[in-house]
Amino acid sequence: MKRSHLCTVAVAAVAAALELGCASMTTPGAAPGMSPGAAMTDGDNPADWRTYHGTYKSWHYSGLDEINADNVKNLKVAWTHVMPRSTRGLQSFPLVADGVLYYSGSYNQLFALDGATGRPIWAYKHKLNEDLVAKQTHSPYNRGIAMGFGNLYMGTLDGKLAAIDMQTGKLKWETKLINSEKLTVGFTGAPLLVKDKVIIGSQGGEWPYRGPIFGVDAQTGKLAWTFFTVGGDDNDPARKTWGGDSWKTGGGGGWMAGGYDPKTNTVYWGTANPAPLYDWGGADWKTKGARPGDNLYTTSVLALDPDTGKLKSFHQELPHDAWDFDSAVGEFVMLERDGKNYIVHPNKGGFVFVYDNNLKVQNVWQGVKNINFVKSIDPKTGELIGRRDMAEGKHQALCPYIAGGYSWNAGSYNPGTGLYYKVGNEWCMDLEVVKTTPILEPMAQLNIGANFNITNPKGDKAHGHVSGRDPITGKMTWEIKFPEPPLASLLSTGGDLLFVPDPRGWLRAYDARTGKELWKHNNGQGHNGGIISYRAKGKQYIAVATGWGGLAGDDYPAFFGGVFAQMPKDSGVLKVFALP
């Protein structure tokens, strides 16, 4: 991307440019003649990482190859940055534009840093309703931001979307989207910039809410549209899939950023589970229980018009989800093979759904071994076969565990190897399903509907694995076993590398073709966030979030013991690596 002749591309000149009042400098995401999303479409500018999933295609892949399988053994720490007040660790994905790195952390903090040296450029800390945040269960972490029109966009814990100036770190505008003081939920996931809209989904899987997805004008902050993931609008037939008035408190938030196909002008988004999470209706769920019916559009993937928020098509991956194996995973890996377009989407239940552009099922493959909530899923239709629906009472060995066979942490697709890399979790749970009613006063409260605890799979120990598979067929090329499930995202590169941040604190680099370990470095604490690659001042860097915590990680000290019993959950450090 070109800047004006008055300003140098070098990151070090950013501060000087501000002092000189360089008004004509082109801000990242707003180059003349290029839409803000153009650099996020094809990955043709691997020096940057401009959107949560790397590009709209959700590959989590960098084409940079300066660091490769031959020299990765020489990789060293280049610089670090401490994120203050990192309650529940550091879970965010950095973004990079023109050599400047931006990243967010707990309590809606945001930093801009020189990508080559780590030198702070500015810091932003959003003013929050701290009393409200203290009452939330799924917080205070932030998982990412969006950029464009010279702004950084961040959803806040108290229900706002904020736009922060990329050059100065000053707040431009904020828009209240959710009455968090009443509904308790806010935003923890990253927004997605599409054309002139910022799209963001709320929390709300286990809360008595209707999980909206919002489209907001990127320049003014004005709300453009709202799509309710529970029951749709007044004329939507989806409302008939909820018995009685259960749609009014149905959950279903789309809390992770999705993807976008500019060819069809379609946004793809995943939605969370319904509330209550577990339903005492059991096998009679169509007519009995807390929420009789299919419960559209929860645990679904949606195709939306980004301009209007209108629904184009959808597929409900788990009708009447009774297990919290939702579809809010934000990966919509977009591929072309033999002249046909595919969209690959992992579900928390441990299955991967393969769709065409209209969300018609093309295949479903199983990537996790310990699954018994269904016997199988029809690979041609996506229909569930042999459901295990649990009535009120105690149940043993439901697999996988509530944290999922797959979780929200992103996998990676490498076009050079043709493989899709993903963390799989092998664990189960015992639970007791109980009858609940939604609690709305004085504030909305969680509506889970069960008590549960993690257990080992029958005849095995709970563990994790990373595999390299064909994304369309699921055929495995190689697999690496980990003693505990990794909870961080993956990165593959043009240097034939796959980076895996593990829960014990090791960042590992593997040969992306064979799975052979080539390098590792101990970062001193577990990983539970993002990892990217970028170029600054002509040099390639790898940046990884370190810091342990989160809902799944909370179970590790008691169940796995060992290093997790001593690992802090209030520390967050961004570590950046480069060749000497």
Side-chain angles (χ1 to χ4, degrees), residues 215-334:
V216 178
D217 187 289
Q219 300 192 70
T220 67
K222 182 179 179 181
L223 177 63
W225 53 261
T226 302
F227 181 88
F228 285 100
T229 63
V230 173
D233 59 29
D234 292 342
N235 300 314
D236 196 321
R239 192 162 298 180
K240 297 180 181 179
T241 66
W242 295 80
D245 288 335
S246 60
W247 60 272
K248 293 182 178 179
T249 54
W255 41 271
M256 291 296 293
Y260 172 64
D261 183 359
K263 294 180 181 178
T264 61
N265 192 36
T266 303
V267 166
Y268 296 98
W269 212 272
T271 67
N273 54 284
L277 192 160
Y278 298 100
D279 185 1
W280 53 266
D284 297 323
W285 57 267
K286 291 187 178 181
T287 57
K288 297 180 180 179
R291 44 179 175 84
D294 284 350
N295 305 150
L296 290 173
Y297 297 97
T298 61
T299 312
S300 300
V301 292
L302 312 175
L304 300 174
D305 184 319
D307 302 312
T308 65
K310 298 297 183 182
L311 183 68
K312 291 185 173 185
S313 60
F314 73 93
H315 176 76
Q316 188 172 36
E317 293 183 335
L318 304 184
H320 193 91
D321 179 2
W323 316 279
D324 191 17
F325 298 150
D326 62 52
S327 304
V329 177
E331 291 172 78
F332 290 89
V333 182
M334 301 181 196

Side-chain angles (χ1 to χ4, degrees), residues 123 206 577:
E206 295 86 43
F577 297 82

Side-chain angles (χ1 to χ4, degrees), residues 266-416:
T266 303
V267 166
Y268 296 98
W269 212 272
T271 67
N273 54 284
L277 192 160
Y278 298 100
D279 185 1
W280 53 266
D284 297 323
W285 57 267
K286 291 187 178 181
T287 57
K288 297 180 180 179
R291 44 179 175 84
D294 284 350
N295 305 150
L296 290 173
Y297 297 97
T298 61
T299 312
S300 300
V301 292
L302 312 175
L304 300 174
D305 184 319
D307 302 312
T308 65
K310 298 297 183 182
L311 183 68
K312 291 185 173 185
S313 60
F314 73 93
H315 176 76
Q316 188 172 36
E317 293 183 335
L318 304 184
H320 193 91
D321 179 2
W323 316 279
D324 191 17
F325 298 150
D326 62 52
S327 304
V329 177
E331 291 172 78
F332 290 89
V333 182
M334 301 181 196
L335 308 169
E336 183 178 342
R337 181 179 293 181
D338 299 326
K340 187 173 182 178
N341 294 319
Y342 294 94
I343 299 173
V344 179
H345 182 258
N347 173 277
K348 269 184 65 180
F351 291 90
V352 173
F353 288 76
V354 182
Y355 300 100
D356 67 10
N357 286 345
N358 296 315
L359 297 181
K360 181 179 179 181
V361 173
Q362 305 298 299
N363 190 26
V364 182
W365 52 267
Q366 182 175 333
V368 172
K369 301 176 183 67
N370 291 283
I371 294 176
N372 64 16
F373 75 98
V374 293
K375 290 183 178 179
S376 63
I377 297 180
D378 190 305
K380 295 182 179 180
T381 65
E383 181 181 358
L384 306 190
I385 300 172
R387 295 175 60 115
R388 182 183 177 184
D389 290 289
M390 299 161 293
E392 182 181 10
K394 294 184 178 181
H395 305 269
Q396 292 185 324
L398 174 68
C399 306
Y401 176 55
I402 188 173
Y406 292 130
S407 192
W408 66 269
N409 47 315
S412 177
Y413 171 72
N414 189 311

Side-chain angles (χ1 to χ4, degrees), residues 143-167:
R143 288 178 174 153
I145 53 180
M147 67 164 59
F149 295 101
N151 299 327
L152 297 172
Y153 302 97
M154 177 172 59
T156 72
L157 298 170
D158 53 0
K160 300 173 183 175
L161 179 66
I164 297 93
D165 188 286
M166 293 177 67
Q167 294 185 35

Side-chain angles (χ1 to χ4, degrees), residues 488-521:
S489 297
L490 308 181
L491 169 72
S492 66
T493 72
D496 278 343
L497 294 172
L498 174 70
F499 288 91
V500 180
D502 80 14
R504 295 191 180 189
W506 291 94
L507 174 60
R508 303 174 186 271
Y510 297 91
D511 186 306
R513 298 182 182 275
T514 67
K516 179 183 177 181
E517 185 172 284
L518 303 174
W519 170 88
K520 64 179 180 180
H521 178 87

Side-chain angles (χ1 to χ4, degrees), residues 545-568:
T546 76
W548 191 245
L551 293 172
D554 286 347
D555 293 321
Y556 279 48
F559 188 77
F560 292 111
V563 65
F564 301 104
Q566 290 80 39
M567 193 174 289

